[in-house]
Amino acid sequence: MTAMVDIRSVHKNFGSLEVLRGIDLEVSTGEVAVVLGPSGSGKSTLLRTINHLEKVDSGWISVAGSLVGYRRRNDKLYELRERDILKQRTRIGFVFQNFNLFPHLTVLENIIEAPVSALRRPRKQAVESAERLLARVGLEDKASAYPRQLSGGQQQRVAIARALALEPELLLFDEPTSALDPELVGEVLDVIKDLADQGTTMIVVTHEIGFAREVADTVVFMDEGRIVEQGTPTEVLDHPRHERTKAFLSKVL
Amino acid sequence: MSLTSDPPTKEAPERAAPEDYSALKVVPVRNPWRWVAVAATAVLVAQFAHGLITNPGWEWEVFADFFATETILKAVWITLQLTFYGTALGFALGIVLAFMRLSRSPFLKSVAFTYIWAFRSIPLIVQLLFWFNLTYLYKKLDFGIPFGPGFFSFDTAGLVGAMSAAVLGLALHQAAYAAEIVRGGVLAVDTGQLEAAAALGIPRLRQLRRIVLPQAMRSILPNAANEVISLFKGTSIVSVMAIGELFYQTQVIYGRNGRVVPLLMVATVWYIILTTLLSIAQYYVERHFSRGATR
Ligand SMILES: Nc1ncnc2c1ncn2[C@@H]1O[C@H](COP(=O)(O)OP(=O)(O)OP(=O)(O)O)[C@@H](O)[C@H]1O
Ligand SMILES: [Mg+2]
């Protein structure tokens, strides 16, 4: 299998705070990586560097063979202009903890906005594929609703459909169920599981250990800006080798 | 009976069978003092209305004679033009200034900041008189390469007539306030919105036009409407430049015939009517931009 995501010795500081201290991670095409770790360990920051919402201070990241945020010519790396960064991002879907749906647009408009404006798809075609996506997340009857008229779980499913509308090669989820009431978590996880079953490459930051066990090919445990250990769910969740992983798991399980 | 001083009951009192309240008569709260206030206010309002109608000093027949004369209608039209151009140019420049202040370039930021600082500091009337006397400062305006040769030029005397000087002054003044209103509105939009738009790869201009501005409009509009209405009434200030707008013309007429009060009423009623129309327009525009805001 080829590497969809290749992260090499990535460092990131916010002022004097070292948030990422040398991250190396490879995610293959079709693989589902679940990232666990205590609050403040840098999980969101790592995810955000992958689609260049945060710039790395050193190291590099490539997605589907192209360097994120830079272009290589001879032995120099040229920073990409914003236009090209935006174009790169259309290949990477991002789902936020608090949905970030556009409240003044209907569900359908939310979904077709990026395909129409960023990929220049004809509107009619975008609408048709939006309707298919809505059916896929079980919300075919909500196309003309506004986000505030939906429950949290429904909003997050729309956000997933919105990310899928770009037909991305990689999906990033930052705690997609943390803002939801417990009874709504399942419906969102089911959609993500479905995507995993169809071979979508994704990196999911979550606190849902059960979900990690069921869906992950790889579980990555992060602490203080480093990857402490990674492996199959059985290895990391059932037989953790590091003290910090054990301590974390004993708290959340 | 107060909740704090009651000793806690040892045993829960026996629960009586639930009563049926539906048969009982409901007695609403009575507010005798409210009725006193209403009566007193009603008397005052009635007295004022009575005065308006019966006091011959208002000279309503003079009011009626002048209210819709051609001079006054023309003057209303000029007032509307001043308001329209002042608002349109002012907000256009204001939006540019707002995004300059929000940009990452320290140079653009400080230019916009200085502009806003300067134009908020200079009283409008002083600024208007400056523009009116532009001829005295710059005899000619050249259009061409900056600091280089000019392609065509105007005599300022011809270009900056009284009316253009007034529009220019009002617009430049308005731009400083509009810039701050727009900037405030943009800052009020949740940063998650821009992040989501950026993550979806939506082009930068489209992000502003489609995602940020419509949401910013909700907080911009009430303030903008205030500005338009105050500019509308503020146009009366250009009467110092002898421009035939509403207030100037009423002054001219009562200067000739001495009927000060009824002519002031002519101006007042026109200002009220047009402000009312603006407020109605505001209601519909705000309703348009509140899509999705409520359940
Ligand atoms: N824009 C920023 N500026 C300064 N510090 C930041 C910024 N973003 C994150 N941080 C800091 O970086 C550290 C890691 O943050 P991050 O959000 O990546 O953690 P996390 O693992 O996602 O935590 P959580 O589980 O709470 O979401 C935290 O200490 C946070 O305060
Ligand atoms: Mg986080």
Side-chain angles (χ1 to χ4, degrees), chain A residues 14 17 19 37-46 54 97 175 207:
Chain A
F14 288 117
L17 183 70
V19 179
S39 180
S41 56
K43 305 181 298 290
S44 298
T45 308
L46 176 63
E54 297 299 348
Q97 179 172 354
E175 304 199 26
H207 291 298

Side-chain angles (χ1 to χ4, degrees), chain B residues 82-98 115-116 166-182 227-228 231:
Chain B
L82 285 168
T83 311
F84 176 79
Y85 290 121
T87 305
L89 295 175
F91 270 84
L93 180 56
I95 290 173
V96 173
L97 286 167
Y115 179 97
I116 292 164
V167 166
L168 196 63
L170 291 173
L172 292 178
H173 174 81
Q174 198 55 53
Y177 290 90
E180 288 298 271
I181 291 175
V182 172
E227 285 294 313
V228 175
L231 176 66

Side-chain angles (χ1 to χ4, degrees), chain B residues 108-218:
Chain B
L108 294 181
K109 263 190 197 168
S110 43
V111 169
F113 179 84
T114 310
Y115 179 97
I116 292 164
W117 164 77
F119 278 83
R120 286 202 306 195
S121 311
I122 309 169
L124 178 56
I125 190 160
V126 175
Q127 207 221 120
L128 283 170
L129 291 173
F130 261 118
W131 288 114
F132 198 48
N133 293 293
L134 187 68
T135 345
Y136 170 80
L137 281 174
Y138 302 98
K139 297 275 185 284
K140 269 169 49 177
L141 272 186
D142 280 337
F143 283 84
I145 298 161
F147 307 112
F151 296 137
F152 45 101
S153 58
F154 296 98
D155 281 338
T156 46
L159 180 72
V160 187
M163 188 70 183
S164 356
V167 166
L168 196 63
L170 291 173
L172 292 178
H173 174 81
Q174 198 55 53
Y177 290 90
E180 288 298 271
I181 291 175
V182 172
R183 188 173 70 98
V186 170
L187 288 178
V189 177
D190 180 18
T191 52
Q193 292 290 308
L194 269 178
E195 272 194 349
L200 287 164
I202 297 170
R204 184 85 183 130
L205 260 180
R206 175 90 179 178
Q207 288 182 23
L208 293 180
R209 234 192 51 235
R210 179 81 166 148
I211 310 298
V212 177
L213 277 180
Q215 294 187 62
M217 281 309 258
R218 296 208 60 221

Side-chain angles (χ1 to χ4, degrees), chain B residues 2 12 35 39 47 53-54 63 79 126 151-152 204 215-216 218 231 239 250:
Chain B
S2 98
W35 288 108
Q47 266 187 326
I53 295 160
T54 59
F63 171 90
T79 293
V126 175
F151 296 137
F152 45 101
R204 184 85 183 130
Q215 294 187 62
R218 296 208 60 221
L231 176 66
S239 59
T250 32

Side-chain angles (χ1 to χ4, degrees), chain A residues 48 51 53 82 86 89-90 92 94 96 100-105 109 113-114 117-118 146 148-149 162 166, chain B residues 104 190 192-193 195-204 206-207 210-212 214-215 291-295:
Chain A
R48 293 160 57 86
N51 75 345
L53 282 177
E82 187 174 359
L86 287 167
R89 290 205 189 108
T90 60
I92 306 170
F94 200 107
F96 296 88
N100 289 342
L101 292 177
F102 306 129
H104 60 301
L105 302 181
E109 288 167 334
E113 176 59 30
S117 70
Y146 284 97
R148 288 210 178 92
Q149 298 166 332
R162 183 175 70 171
L166 290 164
Chain B
R104 272 171 241 151
D190 180 18
Q193 292 290 308
E195 272 194 349
L200 287 164
I202 297 170
R204 184 85 183 130
R206 175 90 179 178
Q207 288 182 23
R210 179 81 166 148
I211 310 298
V212 177
Q215 294 187 62
R291 275 174 313 163
T294 48
R295 283 179 175 253

